[in-house]
Amino acid sequence: MCRRGEPGSAESAAEVCTDSVLVGGARSWEGTMWLPGALLLLSLAGCFSIQGPKHVQGREQGSLTVQCRYSPQWTNYQKWWCRGRHWRTCHILVQTRGSEQEEKQGRVSIVDHQRDHSFTVTMEKLQRDDMDTYWCGIKKSGTDLGTRVRVTVYTERTDATSSEPVGPTAHSLEMSSGSYKRTHYVLLVFLKVPILLVLVSVILWLKGSQRTPEEQ
């Protein structure tokens, strides 16, 4: 999270919170150490005023919902959803009016649940180019509050073979029938005929052995 100020303002330099601590923190030692201690502490305190998920994802043409929570003192303030990699230059897509009424702009809507101290953003009919860095934010005088959210859109995998018929076709049945006939013929010539000959020979031999004592 970080605090959003006007470009070039002293407040905008206090990007030293949460997922921006490595980037903003490094700059703070060079450019913001001159800030009054009270201002820096105020900025850090604002980092815990709003929280949200670091990453959410949704299926293409589907929808996703992001829930961000805030401290009770910001209940009646306007909440917004902003798109852009950089905090100070992101574009606000939709924002509330300080009430619980749902606000919608295009495929994006926002609702403030003031009793739960949270607000939800819903993105519908997701597209691949919706993948970007977004921000949950609270509009206030001086410096806004916000937390970064990464949005990913994935494409559901489709198996090309699933469109093919599952059962056997007439052509496959014909081929199977022909193959079965050839196999049967081979078995008849090389297996069944010799077996039948052996059986006939055994039967004739048994009959011959039974006649021999009678003739004696």
Side-chain angles (χ1 to χ4, degrees), residues 70 72-80 96-99 112 114 137-141:
Y70 54 84
Q73 65 264 33
W74 309 114
T75 298
N76 295 322
Y77 285 72
Q78 296 181 8
K79 317 303 188 304
W80 47 254
T96 67
R97 301 182 182 182
S99 66
D112 189 3
Q114 296 181 348
I138 300 175
K139 184 178 181 180
K140 59 182 291 292
S141 60

Side-chain angles (χ1 to χ4, degrees), residues 148-161:
R148 175 161 46 189
V149 182
R150 179 67 182 175
V151 172
T152 301
V153 179
Y154 64 88
T155 303
E156 187 176 10
R157 295 181 57 186
T158 56
D159 190 354
T161 60

Side-chain angles (χ1 to χ4, degrees), residues 106-122:
R107 296 181 291 112
V108 184
S109 61
I110 186 172
V111 179
D112 189 3
H113 310 284
Q114 296 181 348
R115 295 182 180 179
D116 297 331
H117 307 302
S118 68
F119 63 94
T120 56
V121 176
T122 301

Side-chain angles (χ1 to χ4, degrees), residues 49-83:
S49 296
I50 181 171
Q51 298 178 346
K54 291 184 178 181
H55 177 258
V56 292
Q57 62 178 356
R59 179 175 55 85
E60 188 175 12
Q61 294 302 317
S63 62
L64 63 79
T65 299
V66 182
Q67 183 181 47
C68 295
R69 307 193 66 86
Y70 54 84
S71 300
Q73 65 264 33
W74 309 114
T75 298
N76 295 322
Y77 285 72
Q78 296 181 8
K79 317 303 188 304
W80 47 254
W81 179 246
C82 190
R83 177 176 182 173

Side-chain angles (χ1 to χ4, degrees), residues 18 31 70 101 121 133 145:
T18 321
Y70 54 84
Q101 181 179 352
V121 176
T133 299
L145 305 175

